[in-house]
Amino acid sequence: MGGVLDGIKILDFGRFIAAPWCSAILADMGADVIRVEKREGGEDRWVQAVTAGGEGGTFLQCNRNKRSLTLDTTTPEGLEITRRLVAESDIVIANMPLVGLRANGLDYDTLRAIKPDIILATATAYGEGGPYSHRIGFDGAGQVMSGATARQGLADQPIRTVVPYADFGTAMTMAIGVMMALFHHRSTGQGQHVESALLPTALMLSNAFLIERELLGTDKPRMGNRGTSVAPCDLFAVKDGWVLLQVAGQPMFKRWCRLVDRLDLFDDPRFADDDLRWENGDVLNDLMAGWCRDKTKAEALGLMESFKLPAAPLHSTADVLEDAHIATMGYLHRVPFPGAAKPVPIIETPFRMSATPGTIRRRAPLLGEHTDEILAEVGIGSTEVAGLRARGIV
């Protein structure tokens, strides 16, 4: 079965997460993605090393289904090879500010001069055209500047989320933009520049907080793991771990009252709706904490499930790897990689399609693993490649 993007060629100059995860999703769907990196390897290749060769966990996730080409794009010969690759490609993906794009011959005007219908997809920290556009930034910049981090954590300590959601969110929005650009290209034959950035992605995810502030003039306090707008909602300690419960809406609240044998609370004016329950959440959360205290995780979750309440166990990373549902659903594919102690659990394409599913066809590439074959595809023979290698170009 062919992929939706079979026949589409992508040059990936991305690093870390936003651009590489975008191109990984497109590669899952059949695109031929060439990762272009420095001769010593992109910085993201070596972060959080998990293999004997030094490749990192995020690199292994974000670069499956790709081929690797090493190339010094700052040299005249490297720029010429870049031009030849662009001429044979449909999409170029990069995450670097405009000055970096220009230095590497990857800005939209330069690319369009080589291939008029090229699609360029870029990710930056703040977006181009504003007073912060010259700044560099990672995921945390989007988080802390979106208003979200100010709202999460402990009363006296804001806490940034350990999962880089601004980066991965930007990758997904960029992938949507690329698909829209491809749809437009197939209708008109025209390319375009797709721009994504960490800050607007983070703003998208925290937008409700901003609306609340603008219209009501207030910010709710940081409340740890408790809900921002409903109650009872928290991580609750049980005898052998923690469980999460989130109750919203009148029918669910009534079922919770039955669970804890407190039907009198349903007619209590303090708990008449979600807003009032949140305002008086300490009462409800404390009741739930007491209910959980003498139960095991299995007992608490079983009872909450029987009352059709949205509850879940707090999993450690080890628990995730052993979870029966995750295993049955095949969410993690174990892919061998040279130098890894065991097959690497790589997340599958994060959406499923009944007719044209994404697939993990190959592991992430070793550094420069496909340099010779990629250059051969643009007419550079083995003798010339040897010379380029001797001069430090590839």
Side-chain angles (χ1 to χ4, degrees):
M1 180 187 302
V4 173
L5 298 182
D6 280 1
I8 296 296
K9 181 170 282 190
I10 299 173
L11 287 180
D12 176 10
F13 292 86
R15 297 293 177 267
F16 295 101
I17 296 171
W21 183 240
C22 169
S23 59
I25 297 302
L26 303 176
D28 286 0
M29 304 310 296
D32 176 16
V33 178
I34 297 172
R35 174 181 163 92
V36 185
E37 56 188 310
K38 297 181 292 187
R39 291 178 68 244
E40 64 272 24
E43 299 88 338
D44 60 327
R45 180 179 280 271
W46 316 119
V47 175
Q48 186 196 345
V50 294
T51 72
E55 288 87 0
T58 303
F59 171 83
L60 298 179
Q61 172 191 348
C62 291
N63 292 282
R64 80 287 193 89
N65 287 334
K66 301 179 187 179
R67 297 189 289 165
S68 172
L69 165 72
T70 55
L71 181 65
D72 184 349
T73 58
T74 66
T75 64
E77 288 176 289
L79 286 171
E80 174 57 29
I81 292 172
T82 299
R83 284 191 285 269
R84 294 169 73 165
L85 291 167
V86 169
E88 300 293 325
S89 298
D90 302 288
I91 302 164
V92 174
I93 295 178
N95 51 335
M96 60 182 77
L98 183 57
V99 63
L101 293 173
R102 286 173 175 159
N104 289 276
L106 300 175
D107 58 282
Y108 186 50
D109 288 340
T110 299
L111 296 177
R112 189 166 48 175
I114 300 168
K115 193 171 192 290
D117 65 342
I118 197 74
I119 293 169
L120 170 65
T122 59
T124 59
Y126 303 102
E128 294 294 345
Y132 306 152
S133 296
H134 66 285
R135 299 180 184 176
I136 61 172
F138 287 133
D139 168 89
Q143 288 195 36
V144 301
M145 290 187 66
S146 70
T149 303
R151 287 283 304 271
Q152 65 196 26
L154 306 176
D156 60 350
Q157 175 67 62
I159 298 176
R160 178 175 62 88
T161 302
V162 66
V163 172
Y165 68 79
D167 253 330
F168 277 104
T170 299
M172 299 304 288
T173 58
M174 184 156 59
I176 293 170
V178 168
M179 294 309 300
M180 296 301 101
L182 276 173
F183 190 83
H184 175 259
H185 179 272
R186 289 182 175 179
S187 300
T188 67
Q190 299 173 355
Q192 61 181 298
H193 184 185
V194 177
E195 295 185 70
S196 295
L198 302 177
L199 181 56
T201 296
L203 291 173
M204 170 190 70
L205 297 169
S206 64
N207 198 182
F209 295 158
L210 306 177
I211 292 170
E212 185 178 59
R213 173 66 190 188
E214 182 75 6
L215 300 187
L216 302 182
T218 58
D219 281 311
K220 291 175 179 174
R222 290 187 290 272
M223 301 184 66
N225 292 308
R226 295 194 169 189
T228 58
S229 58
V230 296
C233 177
D234 203 349
L235 272 171
F236 299 99
V238 291
K239 290 180 6 179
D240 56 348
W242 298 80
V243 295
L244 172 73
L245 174 69
Q246 298 172 289
V247 172
Q250 298 297 88
M252 195 177 295
F253 179 62
K254 192 165 190 175
R255 295 199 299 274
W256 177 80
C257 291
R258 293 195 189 100
L259 171 75
V260 297
D261 195 24
R262 290 293 305 271
L263 280 178
D264 59 298
L265 298 178
F266 193 68
D267 296 319
D268 191 315
R270 294 175 298 170
F271 312 125
D273 57 33
D274 281 329
D275 286 339
L276 288 168
R277 286 193 287 274
W278 179 82
E279 289 178 14
N280 298 283
D282 286 350
V283 176
L284 301 177
N285 284 311
D286 288 349
L287 280 170
M288 188 62 192
W291 182 88
C292 286
R293 196 168 292 124
D294 64 349
K295 296 174 178 62
T296 65
K297 192 184 297 185
E299 289 168 345
L301 290 171
L303 286 167
M304 287 188 279
E305 182 179 349
S306 71
F307 280 84
K308 292 183 167 51
L309 295 173
L314 175 67
H315 271 1
S316 67
T317 51
D319 294 331
V320 174
L321 293 169
E322 297 171 358
D323 185 277
H325 181 81
I326 292 172
T328 301
M329 294 298 291
Y331 290 144
L332 295 173
H333 291 238
R334 283 169 168 77
V335 181
F337 188 89
K342 57 179 68 174
V344 182
I346 303 290
I347 183 68
E348 69 164 2
T349 310
F351 53 88
R352 288 183 169 179
M353 299 176 68
S354 61
T356 54
T359 58
I360 298 178
R361 300 176 303 282
R362 65 167 88 194
R363 57 167 172 75
L366 299 174
L367 179 61
E369 182 174 355
H370 306 96
T371 295
D372 290 46
E373 70 179 55
I374 292 167
L375 293 180
E377 291 168 3
V378 293
I380 300 175
S382 58
T383 301
E384 191 176 353
V385 171
L388 291 168
R389 190 166 279 122
R391 294 190 297 278
I393 306 302
V394 301

